Amino acid sequence: MDLVIATRNNGKLKEIRAMLKGTRIRVLSLDDFHGCPDVIEDGKTFRENALKKARAVAEYTGKTALADDSGLSVDALDGAPGVYSARFSGPGADDLKNNRKLLRMMKDVPDGGRGAEFVCVMALAGPKGSGVKERTVKGVVRGRITRGMRGPGGFGYDPLFYYSPKGMTFAEMGPEEKNRVSHRARALMKIKALFKTR
Ligand code: IMP
């Protein structure tokens, strides 16, 4: 079976390819389908955004598509930045500005209230009439927001995300170590399980 991964992020593509190795799925990327339009991520939930991307790519390519949407959800901020994680600090947002804004907003939050989670929702969809059943799965990893940036690795909010089982932030862990426990890996594991039962 062919599966198009609806992402322009090569890191994600590589991770997904590696995890689906050994299954009967042939992984295709957007590079195999020129001109696929970008989808505007204007949903209110990770699920809405992931489904919107998967449906658009399935329609365009005529094949089953897998899309994901992810972000950081902070307890003390009622789940923010959530679906706005990439754009948290407004126009011209980048990782550093987003991290600084989060640290400022968390300045007075005591140690006991600094819980947060990374969330990844993955959606599967097929083109209209294909009979492919739409599915979504969610992967979550819990941690704590530090009081300063720590670690050279990763991206996004990794330097602020302390993962207590390892005693390090995600940015202090190596990529393989992070990818074993991340929200994305946990969602992918569920996708893989779905394919085993298909
Ligand atoms: P997207 O799913 O690629 O749209 O990611 C949205 C945003 O969430 C990213 O720009 C990051 O700010 C944040 N994010 C998602 N996954 C991670 C992660 O594994 N580490 C750090 N930040 C992440």
Side-chain angles (χ1 to χ4, degrees):
M1 179 202 148
D2 286 349
L3 180 68
V4 189
I5 312 301
T7 182
R8 302 215 180 263
N9 177 326
N10 278 329
K12 283 187 190 173
L13 184 66
K14 221 172 126 186
E15 219 176 289
I16 293 171
R17 262 191 209 288
M19 284 208 60
L20 293 178
K21 225 175 151 186
T23 67
R24 282 173 302 172
I25 299 155
R26 186 164 72 114
V27 172
L28 303 171
S29 80
L30 291 178
D31 288 340
D32 299 309
F33 300 90
H34 292 288
C36 191
D38 281 332
V39 173
I40 298 168
E41 297 181 27
D42 55 1
K44 287 194 179 58
T45 61
F46 295 118
R47 187 171 180 276
E48 265 179 61
N49 282 335
L51 267 173
K52 188 177 177 191
K53 283 188 265 186
R55 284 176 187 149
V57 170
E59 253 354 284
Y60 186 83
T61 62
K63 294 187 179 293
T64 303
L66 176 71
D68 83 327
D69 195 39
S70 57
L72 178 72
S73 214
V74 179
D75 300 351
L77 305 179
D78 288 330
V83 289
Y84 304 105
S85 290
R87 305 161 267 165
F88 189 41
S89 53
D94 60 26
D95 288 347
L96 185 61
K97 288 183 191 159
N98 289 340
N99 280 325
R100 285 189 175 147
K101 177 170 180 183
L102 182 59
L103 281 175
R104 269 199 310 277
M105 291 178 77
M106 295 290 288
K107 195 165 56 71
D108 298 323
V109 178
D111 289 350
R114 301 182 72 87
E117 58 195 29
F118 274 127
V119 179
C120 173
V121 173
M122 288 194 169
L124 271 178
K128 278 194 195 83
S130 65
V132 172
K133 200 169 152 216
E134 282 186 352
R135 301 291 301 257
T136 55
V137 298
K138 188 174 175 182
V140 174
V141 59
R142 283 205 59 87
R144 268 197 333 260
I145 302 302
T146 53
R147 293 191 177 274
M149 295 175 65
R150 281 169 46 180
F155 72 101
Y157 298 92
D158 281 345
L160 299 185
F161 190 81
Y162 181 80
Y163 182 63
S164 53
K166 291 282 172 193
M168 286 186 262
T169 67
F170 266 12
E172 291 172 312
M173 287 160 65
E176 277 169 22
E177 209 174 9
K178 175 189 164 187
N179 290 342
R180 268 197 292 273
V181 297
S182 77
H183 47 314
R184 209 164 289 109
R186 287 174 184 182
L188 253 183
M189 237 130 51
K190 292 185 183 172
I191 289 287
K192 203 170 165 180
L194 280 183
F195 281 118
K196 280 196 181 130
T197 56
R198 274 166 106 90

